[in-house]
Amino acid sequence: MKYIPDVRGCARRHALLYLAVLMIWLKTYFTHRYYFELPVSGWYQELILFISPLSSILIMLGLSLVFLRSRWHIAIIIVSVSSGILLLANVLYYRFFNDFITLPVLLRSTQIGQVWGSIADLLRPSDFLVFADTAALIILVKGGGSRRAVIRRLHILCMLAAAVSLLLFNLDAAEKLRPGLFSRTFDRQLVVRSIGAFNYLVYDTVNSARMKARTVAAGSKDVAVVKAYLASGRRDRVDPVMFGLAKGRNVFLISLESLQSFVLDKKIGGEEITPFLNGLAKDSFYFDRFYHQTGHGKTSDAEFLIDTMLYPLPSGAVFFTHAQNTFHSLPKQLKETGYYPVVLHGNNRTFWNRDQMYETMGYERFYSAEDYNIDEENSVGWGLKDIPFFEQSVGKLRALPQPFYAKLITLTNHHPFTLKKEDRLLPPFDANSKTLNHYFNTVRYMDEALKDFFKAIKTAGLYDNSVFILYGDHYGIARKHGKAMAKFLGKEKLTALDHEQLQRVPLIIHIPGVKGRTISTVSGQIDLKPTILHLLGQDSVQGLGFGHDLFALNKQQMAVLRDGSFVTDRYVFTGNKCYSISDEAKTDPARCEPMREEAQKQLKFSDKIIYGDLSRFLKHEKS
Ligand code: GP9
Ligand code: MN
């Protein structure tokens, strides 16, 4: 008989505790549901999304209570605030990268500091609703009289046991809904939809720790497995006309910030968006089905793909996570044949951990912000504007020993695409996306900067004996601007196929004195290393990697994107569906299956090479 009043008393004491759980749970659910674009269809998926945050909230609260049994009101405020901070960080990160925060991202503190300019632009007043529960709880705690109560150990234990059972149920339901979800982790959105962003963070952290262990565990027998796979693939049948066509010339590799192919040959208010690039493309080898293959590491991932012919990582930026690895990189190989490899970029040298990674990659010199005159006048958005960047770079390039391999990284066309009034050369575009409206003018500005740069290079006498490779590093307009993008492209709505095609970025290979053409081979950034080496007349391509010479007579028509989607000349595989390019209505998974396996293998082996630091076992071997 004593038991019943006890339970009642207990319930009264803990009413606030469970009210807190309910509030934190609901805010987390609503944030997942309405701030992230998670693919939810049907009541069962909805139910899983709804229950997914509860286990992590109970675990957070249970663990806090272990230390704060008598100060339980502080424990609930701590959980409320920290969940709010995590949600807010995820919301901002999602708006920027279309993805969720992982441990490597959290560790990338210098980046987070640097993107504040964009974060301010991304922040909306309604975001602060993630702290609404905190405000309510503070008021309730202050008003409540039961603060002195101590939470019993058994109660905490029950809470944790309930959390673990719920988590197991959650994992099982998610795996049943999409078999292989956790073993393959092919789609981060789906994992987050299934277990919530908090559990995902823990899941990713455990995975990262496992990866670290892999480096230690990897051995030369892993190299043999990767080599066997690479040997089974096709060997490039090099085009003798192209081989050595740029032998001995300087190489200019120009990274075009956030430039997507859809702007080329397009007009705003009757004016070309990229007049210079349009003209250059016609006078060069222009690849119109060239895809970016970047992940979280954005610009740095594009650099990594080009210099190593490896895929970037599925999570985090390889420039940060594996800068201590051994890589048989393009600059190293070029250096062996007398080239002088350098990088020029008007940003802080620690951004993307470039100072460390460039050393690993074998660059001789990195001209960064400290080597440029940067002031209020010549800066906008992320820093030094492209026109003064190129202007100041010419003198540095002239002073270099030749032949050189110079990578120049532009910056102005970066989200949120801010530009001074006097630099806006296009009439304004008016769609329901500020981002897209601004984008066109920063692209136009970058185009102008390139025009001036080419002129200055000619004046400096560096043009004729050089080869110029210009590439878009990654998308600039995220998927969520689909409506505005559809307006620009004159479509009613963008389809999955359209979104995949928007991942195309321009690649222009300009060889002065050589007539070019448009090449429609399906390809990606991973293919540039062998292409450059062959153009320079070097037939050996050192290191383990997956690229193929873009001019090869037998180049496979395929580009694998970092999210596991891929494109061939006939099919597009995205969102786990296989679309026929000629007839989008046709979706037939069997058509893509062999390529899907191939794509998965490439990504898996590439990850294996990086995680296991397998290149350290090679000594200047040819692939
Ligand atoms: C910063 C520049 C832009 O140095 O490379 O970085 P992003 O955000 O595009 O990777
Ligand atoms: Mn970039």
Side-chain angles (χ1 to χ4, degrees):
M1 290 301 287
K2 257 181 157 182
Y3 184 68
I4 297 167
D6 240 19
V7 169
R8 278 198 190 141
C10 190
R12 261 201 312 275
R13 272 212 315 272
H14 298 109
L16 194 51
L17 197 66
Y18 287 101
L19 185 64
V21 170
L22 186 69
M23 286 203 270
I24 302 170
W25 177 14
L26 289 181
K27 90 167 165 190
T28 310
Y29 165 70
F30 283 118
T31 308
H32 279 65
R33 190 70 185 88
Y34 298 108
Y35 283 67
F36 306 137
E37 285 169 34
L38 295 170
V40 184
S41 63
W43 69 269
Y44 192 56
Q45 289 187 6
E46 192 74 63
L47 178 73
I48 292 181
L49 180 70
F50 181 64
I51 59 164
S52 64
L54 186 54
S55 57
S56 49
I57 291 162
L58 287 175
I59 291 173
M60 283 195 266
L61 194 57
L63 292 179
S64 311
L65 287 173
V66 168
F67 301 102
L68 295 162
R69 276 198 323 129
S70 59
R71 302 176 143 246
W72 56 273
H73 51 286
I74 295 184
I76 60 173
I77 302 293
I78 288 176
V79 174
S80 166
V81 170
S82 45
S83 59
I85 291 173
L86 269 177
L87 284 173
L88 183 62
N90 254 313
V91 164
L92 296 174
Y93 189 77
Y94 189 84
R95 261 185 218 138
F96 197 89
F97 291 107
N98 236 324
D99 213 334
F100 298 92
I101 286 182
T102 56
L103 187 70
V105 164
L106 281 180
L107 294 177
R108 203 194 300 152
S109 57
T110 43
Q111 256 81 357
I112 286 173
Q114 290 250 1
V115 291
W116 265 114
S118 284
I119 282 175
D121 182 73
L122 295 167
L123 205 59
R124 292 174 197 159
S126 61
D127 295 345
F128 292 102
L129 283 176
V130 296
F131 297 112
D133 58 317
T134 314
L137 286 170
I138 290 174
I139 295 168
L140 290 172
V141 162
K142 281 203 160 178
S146 53
R147 264 191 276 167
R148 293 195 168 275
V150 174
I151 308 291
R152 285 190 300 153
R153 282 201 181 87
L154 185 66
H155 197 111
I156 298 171
L157 205 67
C158 288
M159 188 185 265
L160 288 171
V164 171
S165 319
L166 204 64
L167 181 62
L168 291 176
F169 167 75
N170 192 182
L171 292 176
D172 186 56
E175 183 72 28
K176 279 206 179 103
L177 199 64
R178 190 53 88 65
L181 183 63
F182 299 107
S183 50
R184 287 193 287 141
T185 324
F186 49 86
D187 187 339
R188 197 193 319 284
Q189 296 244 55
L190 285 192
V191 182
V192 173
R193 184 191 74 188
S194 308
I195 60 172
F198 301 152
N199 281 327
Y200 176 72
L201 193 61
V202 177
Y203 167 81
D204 184 71
T205 305
V206 172
N207 272 348
S208 304
R210 271 182 22 213
M211 278 152 203
K212 191 95 206 132
R214 270 196 245 172
T215 312
V216 184
S220 46
K221 69 173 190 316
D222 297 299
V223 181
V225 176
V226 175
K227 272 189 179 172
Y229 166 75
L230 288 172
S232 68
R234 67 181 66 208
R235 295 202 75 80
D236 293 342
R237 206 143 52 77
V238 173
D239 182 349
V241 178
M242 299 307 296
F243 186 80
L245 203 61
K247 199 176 168 81
R249 294 193 189 208
N250 300 313
V251 180
F252 286 82
L253 183 74
I254 307 179
S255 164
L256 305 172
E257 180 56 49
S258 303
L259 189 68
Q260 289 172 250
S261 300
F262 78 90
V263 289
L264 263 73
D265 282 324
K266 287 272 175 23
K267 290 182 177 175
I268 298 269
E271 292 189 38
E272 285 180 281
I273 303 168
T274 55
F276 175 72
L277 286 174
N278 295 345
L280 188 75
K282 288 185 183 72
D283 193 22
S284 311
F285 296 96
Y286 171 58
F287 294 81
D288 62 355
R289 294 170 88 181
F290 181 77
Y291 289 79
H292 84 83
Q293 296 161 303
T294 60
H296 289 164
K298 308 288 283 231
T299 315
S300 69
D301 276 357
E303 295 181 57
F304 182 75
L305 278 146
I306 294 168
D307 278 349
T308 66
M309 59 177 188
L310 292 169
Y311 292 96
L313 293 177
S315 173
V318 60
F319 262 42
F320 255 100
T321 56
H322 292 81
Q324 310 313 322
N325 271 22
T326 300
F327 293 108
H328 292 265
S329 65
L330 179 60
K332 274 189 194 165
Q333 186 168 347
L334 288 178
K335 202 153 63 173
E336 280 172 21
T337 54
Y339 272 82
Y340 190 77
V342 296
V343 184
L344 301 98
H345 182 41
N347 197 4
N348 193 319
R349 57 190 302 100
T350 57
F351 197 87
W352 283 131
N353 199 29
R354 281 187 172 109
D355 52 348
Q356 284 188 34
M357 190 54 147
Y358 287 163
E359 216 179 301
T360 303
M361 291 293 199
Y363 285 99
E364 280 292 321
R365 177 87 160 85
F366 174 24
Y367 296 92
S368 63
E370 60 200 50
D371 300 288
Y372 288 85
N373 298 320
I374 305 176
D375 53 35
E376 187 80 1
E377 179 84 350
N378 66 14
S379 303
V380 74
W382 279 51
L384 185 61
K385 296 195 293 183
D386 289 344
I387 290 180
F389 162 66
F390 279 128
E391 265 170 16
Q392 294 183 39
S393 296
V394 176
K396 304 184 199 313
L397 291 162
R398 270 173 69 168
L400 293 179
Q402 294 189 34
F404 55 73
Y405 165 66
K407 172 158 65 184
L408 294 108
I409 304 169
T410 61
L411 193 58
T412 307
N413 188 41
H414 195 290
H415 185 272
F417 310 114
T418 35
L419 201 61
K420 291 182 180 170
K421 231 186 180 145
E422 65 267 26
D423 293 322
R424 293 183 204 155
L425 302 171
L426 287 176
F429 184 71
D430 186 23
N432 64 339
S433 155
K434 241 166 67 184
T435 303
L436 185 67
N437 296 349
H438 291 168
Y439 180 69
F440 295 116
N441 251 310
T442 46
V443 170
R444 177 66 186 85
Y445 172 83
M446 177 165 65
D447 185 84
E448 192 70 11
L450 288 163
K451 184 184 87 183
D452 292 355
F453 180 59
F454 269 72
K455 215 186 275 170
I457 286 297
K458 283 180 185 170
T459 310
L462 287 170
Y463 176 74
D464 293 314
N465 195 33
S466 297
V467 52
F468 299 85
I469 299 157
L470 295 83
Y471 70 95
D473 61 352
H474 49 76
Y475 70 84
I477 305 300
R479 217 185 152 95
K480 65 183 169 112
H481 302 286
K483 231 177 170 176
M485 185 67 99
K487 180 178 175 185
F488 174 71
L489 296 174
K491 296 192 167 205
E492 205 157 288
K493 200 173 171 233
L494 294 189
T495 62
L497 202 67
D498 291 328
H499 280 297
E500 193 77 356
Q501 298 295 24
L502 281 168
Q503 304 312 309
R504 279 177 302 164
V505 292
L507 171 66
I508 298 172
I509 300 183
H510 180 70
I511 313 174
V514 175
K515 198 173 153 0
R517 61 181 187 276
T518 295
I519 298 178
S520 297
T521 310
V522 180
S523 53
Q525 292 159 330
I526 205 157
D527 296 316
L528 270 170
K529 179 179 166 185
T531 308
I532 295 171
L533 286 169
H534 289 169
L535 274 175
L536 298 181
Q538 300 188 27
D539 58 356
S540 78
V541 180
Q542 290 169 5
L544 304 165
F546 301 85
H548 289 281
D549 181 350
L550 289 171
F551 297 108
L553 300 170
N554 59 342
K555 166 81 178 74
Q556 193 184 14
Q557 297 270 358
M558 183 163 171
V560 180
L561 276 59
R562 185 54 262 196
D563 63 1
S565 63
F566 61 82
V567 185
T568 74
D569 49 341
R570 298 178 60 193
Y571 300 103
V572 164
F573 180 82
T574 177
N576 249 0
K577 285 209 174 86
C578 180
Y579 300 92
S580 160
I581 291 181
S582 56
D583 181 3
E584 191 175 353
K586 268 195 197 158
T587 61
D588 179 0
R591 299 275 179 187
C592 285
E593 196 45 31
M595 285 94 77
R596 194 188 68 79
E597 270 176 30
E598 168 69 17
Q600 288 300 322
K601 262 190 198 160
Q602 287 200 17
L603 292 170
K604 196 185 87 191
F605 280 122
S606 179
D607 294 347
K608 205 176 167 76
I609 293 167
I610 300 168
Y611 292 136
D613 191 10
L614 297 189
S615 299
R616 72 197 143 122
F617 298 112
L618 302 180
K619 205 158 174 44
H620 286 172
E621 287 189 41
K622 295 170 190 177
S623 64

